[in-house]
Amino acid sequence: MASEEHCSVPPRWRSISLTHVEFPAGDLTGQLLAYTSLLPIVILVGFVTLIVFKRELHTISFFGGLVLNEGVNWLLKHILREPRPCEGAHATLTTEYGMPSSHSQFIWFFVVYFFLFLYLRMHQTNNARCVELLWRHILSITLLGVAFSVSYSRVYLLYHTWSQVFYGGVTGSTIGVVWFFFTQEVLTPLFPKMAAWPISEFFLVRDTSLIPNILWFEYTVTRSEARNRQRKLGTKLQ
């Protein structure tokens, strides 16, 4: 394991192409954790994809919270100006400051917000049975493991200290809670009006807040429309 005790004799580092996330050469654990630390990028790509194809207001709000969270992290780093551990160990860094960890803050914002969405937002719109709630618990445990893995990877790879990761997690969790209730109590009641704006109609932005199971709704609507079109096409062919 890469640790601060080895800072005086840094190992030879290799970077993952395009991302420049470095791990000690020959360290399989370090390589796995380097890929784990890329999960925030995967999440961002997923959000952009969802927004482009779904254009749903709550998803846009969730993404807006992530952007705000990153802005707060940048501001805190440049206010505190705490250096990273083992200064000079990594050749490519977006910023020299390490407090708080942006990866830790990002992933804990995402996980805490998602927890609240699963257990508060979906609880209000879907009276599911215990068996049907099992997947929520499994998903929550998985996300919790992901958050700890991403946080640990930043310490293992000598990008951050434990305190930088801890305060990043606390900051991200706090912003996640605040942003969830802001979205729930302030923005959600405004979503129907926002969806009716001309610009929203032009870009096909929609509000699905009152639909308990959007996947089932889209499935049934699509199947019904496909059957209607098939009947019309059959009638014309006759």
Side-chain angles (χ1 to χ4, degrees):
M1 170 181 173
S3 61
E4 292 192 35
E5 288 79 7
H6 298 94
C7 290
S8 58
V9 185
R12 184 167 60 89
W13 296 83
R14 295 184 59 188
S15 64
I16 298 175
S17 299
L18 299 179
T19 63
H20 297 295
V21 176
E22 297 177 325
F23 60 93
D27 186 348
L28 294 179
T29 301
Q31 184 174 6
L32 177 61
L33 289 173
Y35 280 104
T36 301
S37 70
L38 297 178
L39 286 174
I41 298 177
V42 175
I43 292 172
L44 282 176
V45 172
F47 264 105
V48 172
T49 303
L50 277 175
I51 290 173
V52 170
F53 288 97
K54 294 296 184 180
R55 308 185 189 190
E56 203 276 324
L57 282 171
H58 192 274
T59 304
I60 296 173
S61 176
F62 196 167
F63 180 76
L66 284 170
V67 173
L68 173 65
N69 183 59
E70 287 298 294
V72 171
N73 178 267
W74 183 90
L75 184 63
L76 288 175
K77 278 186 174 179
H78 287 78
I79 291 175
L80 299 174
R81 295 175 177 269
E82 182 176 303
R84 296 175 183 269
C86 300
E87 190 173 356
H90 297 285
T92 54
L93 290 170
T94 55
T95 176
E96 60 184 303
Y97 307 124
M99 174 66 85
S101 165
S102 58
H103 281 69
S104 181
Q105 186 172 325
F106 180 98
I107 199 66
W108 282 103
F109 173 96
F110 175 80
V111 168
V112 168
Y113 190 101
F114 210 97
F115 281 169
L116 295 172
F117 180 83
L118 284 177
Y119 292 104
L120 296 182
R121 179 70 175 259
M122 293 189 70
H123 174 73
Q124 294 178 355
T125 57
N126 187 11
N127 297 320
R129 297 178 180 178
C130 293
V131 177
E132 296 171 343
L133 293 174
L134 179 62
W135 70 270
R136 297 188 194 178
H137 302 317
I138 295 175
L139 180 59
S140 298
I141 294 172
T142 302
L143 288 175
L144 196 61
V146 167
F148 278 114
S149 298
V150 171
S151 299
Y152 176 68
S153 71
R154 305 307 289 173
V155 177
Y156 187 99
L157 299 173
L158 301 180
Y159 282 98
H160 294 283
T161 63
W162 280 113
S163 62
Q164 292 171 354
V165 165
F166 173 77
Y167 286 112
V170 170
T171 305
S173 299
T174 302
I175 297 175
V177 172
V178 172
W179 188 255
F180 174 82
F181 285 104
F182 176 76
T183 300
Q184 183 78 350
E185 302 300 328
V186 178
L187 295 183
T188 299
L190 299 176
F191 282 168
K193 293 181 180 179
M194 295 168 66
W197 290 349
I199 188 171
S200 298
E201 293 178 352
F202 178 80
F203 287 105
L204 305 179
V205 175
R206 53 184 176 164
D207 171 33
T208 60
S209 302
L210 297 178
I211 301 175
N213 191 330
I214 187 64
L215 290 177
W216 177 252
F217 174 79
E218 290 180 343
Y219 171 74
T220 54
V221 169
T222 302
R223 186 173 65 173
S224 176
E225 181 64 20
R227 288 177 176 176
N228 290 335
R229 290 177 180 270
Q230 190 174 20
R231 287 197 208 98
K232 291 180 181 180
L233 181 61
T235 303
K236 290 181 179 180
L237 292 177
Q238 290 176 359

